[in-house]
Amino acid sequence: MPSKETVQRQGVFGGALGVLVLAFGLTYHFFPELFHVSPEEIANPSAPGVGRAAPSSRTRATPETPSVQEELNAGPPLTLAPTAVIAARLARKPAPLPEQTTADPPEVKALVEKADKAFEAGHVAGDKNSAAALYLAALKLKADSRAAVLGLDQVRTHLIAQITQDIAVGDSGSAGSLLDNLKALPNTANDVAPLEASMKTLLQVRPMLAQAASLLQQGRADKPAGDNALEVYRQVQKLDPQNAVAAQGILQVQRVVLDRALAAVAQNDFAGAEQSMTEATPIQPDSPQLHDVRNQIDSIRQQRAANVLAQARSALDAGNIDLAKQLAGQAQSISPQLAGLDEFEVRLTNAKLYASFKPGQVFTDRYVDMNGQSPTMVVVPTGKFMMGAPEEETGRTDAETPQHEVAIDKGFAIAQTDVTVGQFREFVRASGYKPDSITQGGASVYDERTGVMRDVSNATWEDDYAGHTAADTLPVVNISWNDAHAYVQWLSQRTGKKYRLPSEAEFEYALRAGSTSRYWWGSGTPKTKVENLTGSLDRSPSGRRWSHAFDNYGDGHWGPAPVMSFAPNAFGLYDVDGNVSEWMADCWHDNYVRAPVDGSAWINPGCSVRVIRGGSWGSSPEQANSAYRQGADASIRSGRVGFRVVREL
């Protein structure tokens, strides 16, 4: 084993780090078969100690080739093992044994026994009393002594192991002395040659490796250019491509760069970490430590990004859309592939367009100052559509032209159904409001005897289309635009949300629900009961028929039906083109020239004529057309007209 002086020499030229790297690498480089020692060998009580060999173990068993799993489970580098263990692992053939014709004489036996004791005492070679000299003396007396041949071969093996160990730890002085002892033994030329080559290589690259180790200690692993450990290790590899010390040193350089990446991550500098990883990758692309650090950084990225995304969700829940967007951007910059980003982007979009609702979502608003809730609302998705009737459509009127594109860029919610009698009654009772049918008297209702609508002075909003008491589930009729407007104002106060009447554009967009045909269900008579329409199969209580109706269609109702009695359209809206027509927020205009294209209501201050949209239980097929529109004085009350509400998001 190296002396204290040897250890001091090691510290001078490389320091602790350089020595360890050098010792590990040289052993692996020059003697790869020695790289590991199995736990069994160390634990074997018969294994010789440091500088000693069991005299009874003259014949060495050839070590078995370890399996891959045994190599993975192997112990420390062999340079840290006893010399006897190294000797036991040397892959060299034992010396051939001579044919011994006679027994060893007493003087030969005495020399062999003395040599064995010298070997056990660690006195292997170097003087006349060493094991080597004594075995040689025995062989001079009797050349065919097997005991002496075995002992001398044991000395050779021990010297080779010790020289190997000294070269591995960089002790060229000790290795040189022992190498001279080995050369003095017979039949060692084949053993000496590789050891001398190893010595020569050691002497050539050792100063460079020591320089590289020193640069590492000074923090100059890969920078500055022209004066760093990495470049020196690369130079060593040019001289000796298989140099294990240089390979280990390069891994140490990569470790330094990887540590920079981890330090950057600790400061949330993921760009800096990525830069360091880019610098570390070409140093040793397939190293396990590179993959380990990459996994660590990816894991930290994921965790940090997930935390930031959680903050973004909290900001969004609090209604701070700008902060939520900013935090989501930070999360994406940290980890572009973070799970949940796409879902959050949808939420963010919904927050901007639908106030955190989702298209198609159904909801109600609770009253803030009393028991009760708003009508059931449906969130309408944003989009574009062609408003009005196309030029080629048969029966179109000038009021439905020119057809023009309207963009609904802001989501809104519209009531699933028309406001019912029961809902309007709640409003009247709670607010004390007196509808126009009360203050101005009467409404226009259906006369079964004549088959036409006529004014009845005592008809009110509490009556149905024919002037009879209405059920709470029927759509409220016999109300004016002013009554409808009063209701949405009251609803806004009760809920704290912005309720209003729909604009013409919003209504037609919601009615069409993505369709471009004449009606939302198609171009002609429905195949199923989709709306409360005028059908040729319908009959009034007295047996009347419609003079102009959808052929072969019957819905079983003459007059309004309870809301939600028929199928919804694609946006989930009921009775949007049947049952009752509906008041709009817009003032009446004869056509769409200069009409808004953003979905807003077209209002002139002080106008008295408002728009009515949507077919009713008594509308002709032309009046049920999705593009059909008509104007009416805001004070008109009719058994064919009701309303539904919109809520801004």
Side-chain angles (χ1 to χ4, degrees):
M1 294 296 289
S3 64
K4 292 182 179 179
E5 291 78 8
T6 299
V7 173
Q8 290 173 352
R9 289 198 299 273
Q10 294 167 354
V12 169
F13 72 75
L17 177 62
V19 170
L20 289 176
V21 172
L22 191 66
F24 174 79
L26 279 175
T27 303
Y28 184 83
H29 176 54
F30 297 122
F31 304 98
E33 73 277 6
L34 308 180
F35 189 72
H36 291 117
V37 55
S38 67
E40 291 81 1
E41 291 181 17
I42 295 177
N44 187 350
S46 65
V50 178
R52 304 171 64 89
S56 61
S57 303
R58 297 298 180 87
T59 303
R60 293 188 305 105
T62 302
E64 297 180 358
T65 302
S67 67
V68 173
Q69 188 59 44
E70 287 172 337
E71 287 291 346
L72 292 175
N73 295 332
L78 200 57
T79 53
L80 303 181
T83 303
V85 174
I86 300 175
R89 293 297 299 273
L90 285 178
R92 62 181 299 273
K93 295 181 180 179
L97 296 177
E99 291 291 336
Q100 186 168 346
T101 57
T102 61
D104 290 342
E107 60 269 26
V108 171
K109 289 183 177 179
L111 286 171
V112 169
E113 184 177 350
K114 186 176 181 180
D116 286 343
K117 291 180 179 179
F119 189 87
E120 290 178 8
H123 193 182
V124 179
D127 58 47
K128 64 181 182 179
N129 294 318
S130 67
L134 293 170
Y135 286 130
L136 285 172
L139 287 171
K140 285 182 180 180
L141 295 176
K142 186 173 176 52
D144 64 350
S145 172
R146 288 196 171 195
V149 169
L150 283 172
L152 190 60
D153 191 61
Q154 184 175 243
V155 168
R156 289 192 197 96
T157 301
H158 181 90
L159 288 174
I160 292 170
Q162 186 64 61
I163 294 167
T164 299
Q165 190 177 48
D166 288 343
I167 290 175
V169 298
D171 191 349
S172 58
S174 176
S177 298
L178 293 173
L179 192 55
D180 289 339
N181 292 334
L182 182 63
K183 291 177 182 179
L185 300 180
N187 304 318
T188 58
N190 291 337
D191 296 318
V192 168
L195 293 172
E196 286 183 328
S198 299
M199 279 285 293
K200 182 178 179 180
T201 303
L202 169 62
L203 295 174
Q204 185 178 11
V205 303
R206 187 175 64 177
M208 299 173 65
L209 294 172
Q211 178 191 6
S214 177
L215 289 170
L216 268 176
Q217 287 182 321
Q218 297 171 37
R220 290 185 283 177
D222 62 328
K223 297 174 183 179
D227 188 21
N228 61 70
L230 179 61
E231 293 181 9
V232 176
Y233 284 130
R234 295 293 192 205
Q235 291 170 11
V236 171
Q237 287 187 324
K238 287 181 180 179
L239 296 173
D240 182 7
Q242 303 303 319
N243 190 284
V245 179
Q248 291 298 316
I250 286 172
L251 284 175
Q252 183 63 23
V253 170
Q254 187 182 55
R255 179 73 258 175
V256 171
V257 181
L258 293 174
D259 286 344
R260 288 206 302 261
L262 291 173
V265 168
Q267 299 298 321
N268 287 325
D269 181 10
F270 290 99
E274 200 58 45
Q275 176 62 34
S276 294
M277 291 301 298
T278 300
E279 295 169 354
T281 299
I283 295 175
Q284 193 65 273
D286 298 323
S287 69
Q289 64 181 2
L290 178 67
H291 296 301
D292 288 344
V293 173
R294 168 57 69 190
N295 291 337
Q296 287 182 56
I297 291 178
D298 287 345
S299 177
I300 294 171
R301 275 180 177 273
Q302 292 287 323
Q303 187 59 49
R304 297 273 174 84
N307 290 340
V308 175
L309 187 59
Q311 295 174 23
R313 291 192 179 102
S314 297
L316 189 59
D317 292 340
N320 194 335
I321 295 177
D322 290 339
L323 179 58
K325 183 177 181 180
Q326 178 183 349
L327 290 171
Q330 291 178 13
Q332 186 172 31
S333 66
I334 293 172
S335 180
Q337 305 304 320
L338 178 66
L341 276 174
D342 291 342
E343 177 269 337
F344 184 79
E345 189 62 33
V346 172
R347 281 194 60 197
L348 191 60
T349 298
N350 288 344
K352 291 186 289 187
L353 298 179
Y354 310 106
S356 296
F357 290 103
K358 299 177 182 178
Q361 184 173 343
V362 177
F363 70 93
T364 58
D365 287 321
R366 303 292 301 181
Y367 296 158
V368 296
D369 57 354
M370 58 181 288
N371 292 329
Q373 62 186 26
S374 70
T376 301
M377 310 299 293
V378 180
V379 179
V380 175
T382 59
K384 297 179 180 180
F385 79 108
M386 295 303 296
M387 185 174 181
E391 293 183 3
E392 65 276 11
E393 186 170 282
T394 303
R396 71 181 180 89
T397 67
D398 290 342
E400 300 166 11
T401 62
Q403 191 178 43
H404 56 290
E405 184 180 73
V406 173
I408 306 295
D409 294 330
K410 178 67 174 175
F412 64 94
I414 190 168
Q416 263 190 330
T417 70
D418 297 294
V419 173
T420 64
V421 174
Q423 290 168 336
F424 199 79
R425 178 176 289 111
E426 177 187 46
F427 153 62
V428 171
R429 287 176 176 174
S431 66
Y433 177 79
K434 295 187 179 300
D436 284 351
S437 59
I438 301 296
T439 59
Q440 298 184 24
S444 178
V445 298
Y446 178 74
D447 186 349
E448 178 68 27
R449 294 173 302 171
T450 62
V452 297
M453 303 293 292
R454 67 182 182 87
D455 291 338
V456 177
S457 61
N458 61 351
T460 73
W461 63 271
E462 295 185 278
D463 296 327
D464 65 8
Y465 78 107
H468 306 132
T469 301
D472 281 352
T473 56
L474 287 172
V476 67
V477 292
N478 303 327
I479 61 169
S480 67
W481 184 92
N482 301 315
D483 297 333
H485 182 65
Y487 176 83
V488 294
Q489 287 185 311
W490 173 82
L491 195 59
S492 297
Q493 293 173 351
R494 298 288 75 74
T495 62
K497 308 298 181 182
K498 176 61 176 177
Y499 280 86
R500 56 176 172 77
L501 294 176
S503 70
E504 264 199 276
E506 289 170 337
F507 184 87
E508 185 173 333
Y509 177 69
L511 184 155
R512 291 183 180 275
S515 67
T516 58
S517 53
R518 186 178 180 86
Y519 310 103
W520 66 258
W521 59 82
S523 298
T525 299
K527 304 297 183 184
T528 59
K529 294 181 180 181
V530 295
E531 293 275 15
N532 180 8
L533 305 169
T534 55
S536 63
L537 303 181
D538 289 332
R539 298 291 183 271
S540 75
S542 62
R544 289 184 176 277
R545 300 183 180 183
W546 297 111
S547 59
H548 183 36
F550 288 96
D551 292 335
N552 297 315
Y553 182 78
D555 51 49
H557 291 274
W558 191 278
V563 297
M564 300 180 73
S565 295
F566 300 92
N569 72 353
F571 282 173
L573 305 179
Y574 293 86
D575 309 320
V576 72
D577 200 22
N579 227 21
V580 296
S581 299
E582 303 174 24
W583 286 110
M584 301 292 110
D586 304 65
C587 296
W588 171 255
H589 296 84
D590 292 337
N591 53 52
Y592 288 134
V593 176
R594 295 186 298 277
V597 294
D598 60 357
S600 61
W602 193 1
I603 298 176
N604 303 109
C607 71
S608 59
V609 180
R610 300 286 176 166
V611 177
I612 294 176
R613 295 294 299 259
S616 74
W617 58 270
S619 298
S620 67
E622 288 77 15
Q623 293 172 328
N625 179 3
S626 296
Y628 183 78
R629 57 195 292 266
Q630 60 181 314
D633 191 278
S635 63
I636 292 295
R637 285 89 62 196
S638 169
R640 291 172 53 180
V641 179
F643 74 104
R644 76 177 68 213
V645 300
V646 157
R647 197 256 236 195
E648 294 183 358
L649 301 179

